[in-house]
Amino acid sequence: MNLARFITVLFFSSFLTAYAAVKEDITVSNAYVRATPPGKTMTAAFLKLENTSDQEHRLIAVDSSAAGTTELHQTVNEQGLLKMRPVTEMTIAAHSTQELQPGGYHIMLVDLKQPLKIGQTIPLTLSFASGEKLTLKIPVKSVIADVDNQ
Amino acid sequence: MKQINSKRIVWIIIATVIAFAVGLKLGALVANSQKLQVKAATIFEKPRVISPFKLQTTAAKEFTQKDLLGHWTLMFFGFTNCPDICPTTLSILNQVYQTVEKKGIKPPQVVFVSVDPGRDHLDKLASYVPYFNPNFIGATGAPNELKSLAQQLGVMYQRIDDPKLTPEQQKKSYLVDHSGTIVVFNPQGQYFAVFSMPHQAPEIAQDMINITQHYE
């Protein structure tokens, strides 16, 4: 392969990468947000992201109009001490699944505009490093339910 | 004749002693086979006596060592502004409570202790904790009381401020790192066992059923 051809291939492959669509590559499932206990204005949302493509995707921001602040968080267990921290991004490697689930990654919704009740839905936007966004409507579920379903 | 009789008596005594010894040994073997079986709990070799403590459940009601007497207690430390671990654990504890109750066994008393007394006022705890189970008790206390109790139980917690926030915002918005362990007190009010993360409701429920039945 001569250099010119190599560069051409490189050029087109990067072109292809830039055009890879999150909408086609990423499947979102099991998305829900926890109903709020009385008096609480914050809660957590969970979902599963499956990347069926040959390239990785990076989730870089989350947003919901239901909350004043929406952040991607991770709970880490450091020798028995549980630390919940904001994370700047989450990578979904090629042909892999990342699950946001209790005790791990979660979407934290702070300063909710109103209490979340079972049966409602809230909008949620996931922004990826590619510049694309996925907009979802996720159901409000009881916190008790996700334990029963384990 | 007399001699034969006394010999017989000696033999009877020896046989009785042997039978008794064998019986003891067998008894011990049976007892051993009925040894307390647990999956998730770490039970201390000797239950630990803890020094007196005083928490508040409502403005009018204290929660002290006396409230541990006569029943098993599960205690968990957290804060109500915790969106992930605390609601998850309280839900697990609710499942444990219901599973034990369905078995016809007296369920343990469940106490959620807030290590964030600055924000978790008693009225807030009173509305938050029963959401998970109406029988659960929400408690908190003076910082020194909380610290002393937590230290004795090997529970850690630490307030984490966000340096990007203004001092005014920091008063309202901070995180609390905390242990995820569930502490078990026996009906004598002693620190009996601990459940470490990750928690699985069916395992904890089965352990509590076994523990309760074993000490009945």
Side-chain angles (χ1 to χ4, degrees):
Chain A
M1 195 193 287
N2 62 37
L3 188 64
R5 200 169 155 196
F6 177 70
I7 289 167
T8 312
V9 169
L10 202 67
F11 175 77
F12 278 106
S13 62
S14 66
F15 190 70
L16 280 172
T17 303
Y19 260 76
V22 163
K23 278 194 178 72
E24 284 161 24
D25 295 352
I26 300 281
T27 311
V28 183
S29 60
N30 295 354
Y32 69 96
V33 59
R34 282 174 167 174
T36 44
K40 294 282 77 171
T41 57
M42 43 92 72
T43 192
F46 303 91
L47 48 87
K48 196 168 161 180
L49 296 169
E50 191 185 356
N51 182 358
T52 51
S53 75
D54 293 329
Q55 59 164 4
E56 69 167 36
H57 283 287
R58 286 182 294 129
L59 178 65
I60 55 163
V62 286
D63 190 37
S64 175
S65 58
T69 309
T70 313
E71 289 176 345
L72 184 62
H73 276 217
Q74 189 180 21
T75 302
V76 198
N77 185 344
E78 268 179 33
Q79 294 171 326
L81 193 63
L82 300 166
K83 302 178 171 208
M84 191 184 75
R85 296 287 182 275
V87 287
T88 50
E89 61 173 57
M90 189 184 83
T91 302
I92 310 113
H95 299 285
S96 79
T97 302
Q98 270 283 18
E99 198 158 1
L100 283 78
Q101 58 188 346
Y105 284 110
H106 57 268
I107 293 165
M108 185 158 162
L109 298 114
V110 190
D111 294 331
L112 290 167
K113 287 162 191 168
Q114 52 192 21
L116 300 186
K117 292 186 182 133
I118 297 160
Q120 293 177 330
T121 55
I122 64 157
L124 182 70
T125 305
L126 309 177
S127 302
F128 292 86
S130 62
E132 289 170 278
K133 286 174 198 277
L134 286 183
T135 304
L136 317 162
K137 271 200 162 179
I138 65 170
V140 179
K141 287 188 178 179
S142 163
V143 60
I144 321 272
D146 63 76
V147 175
D148 285 340
N149 291 340
Q150 272 178 5
Chain B
M1 197 60 176
K2 253 191 178 174
Q3 214 172 352
I4 293 168
N5 257 349
S6 61
K7 254 191 186 170
R8 223 186 216 177
I9 288 165
V10 169
W11 277 115
I12 287 167
I13 290 169
I14 290 171
T16 311
V17 169
I18 290 171
F20 190 67
V22 169
L24 271 183
K25 183 77 187 163
L26 277 176
L29 280 175
V30 170
N32 215 28
S33 72
Q34 286 172 346
K35 206 179 151 200
L36 176 56
Q37 299 282 335
V38 287
K39 252 186 156 176
T42 306
I43 298 175
F44 305 123
E45 219 158 287
K46 265 192 171 175
R48 300 177 187 177
V49 174
I50 57 158
S51 60
F53 62 88
K54 191 173 79 183
L55 302 177
Q56 291 284 132
T57 57
T58 60
K61 203 167 182 300
E62 282 180 355
F63 188 91
T64 68
Q65 227 156 358
K66 277 185 194 160
D67 298 292
L68 299 174
L69 301 177
H71 45 71
W72 292 86
T73 300
L74 296 178
M75 194 180 268
F76 180 71
F77 293 75
F79 64 117
T80 73
N81 271 12
C82 151
D84 180 17
I85 296 297
C86 303
T88 305
T89 309
L90 283 167
S91 301
I92 288 173
L93 287 169
N94 170 54
Q95 221 185 344
V96 169
Y97 187 96
Q98 292 188 3
T99 309
V100 175
E101 199 173 38
K102 272 181 200 156
K103 273 262 171 184
I105 292 164
K106 190 180 171 187
Q109 166 176 259
V110 177
V111 187
F112 175 78
V113 179
S114 171
V115 291
D116 185 11
R119 287 184 301 191
D120 285 341
H121 303 137
L122 294 170
D123 56 334
K124 275 191 189 169
L125 280 172
S127 60
Y128 178 83
V129 178
Y131 172 75
F132 298 92
N133 183 310
N135 299 305
F136 286 7
I137 297 167
T140 190
N144 60 328
E145 287 282 349
L146 289 170
K147 202 175 163 191
S148 153
L149 177 62
Q151 270 178 352
Q152 293 187 74
L153 303 171
V155 168
M156 302 171 288
Y157 59 92
Q158 191 180 10
R159 176 178 160 162
I160 306 293
D161 286 299
D162 185 346
K164 286 177 296 195
L165 300 179
T166 63
E168 203 50 44
Q169 286 171 317
Q170 280 184 358
K171 270 187 203 164
K172 268 180 66 190
S173 185
Y174 54 86
L175 294 171
V176 184
D177 293 346
H178 59 100
S179 296
T181 49
I182 297 168
V183 168
V184 186
F185 289 100
N186 66 16
Q188 289 74 45
Q190 297 158 327
Y191 183 18
F192 178 82
V194 68
F195 289 103
S196 305
M197 293 271 292
H199 301 306
Q200 299 289 340
E203 285 187 1
I204 299 175
Q206 192 55 53
D207 281 3
M208 285 316 294
I209 288 166
N210 292 355
I211 290 171
T212 310
Q213 285 184 329
H214 187 83
Y215 289 93
E216 252 173 9

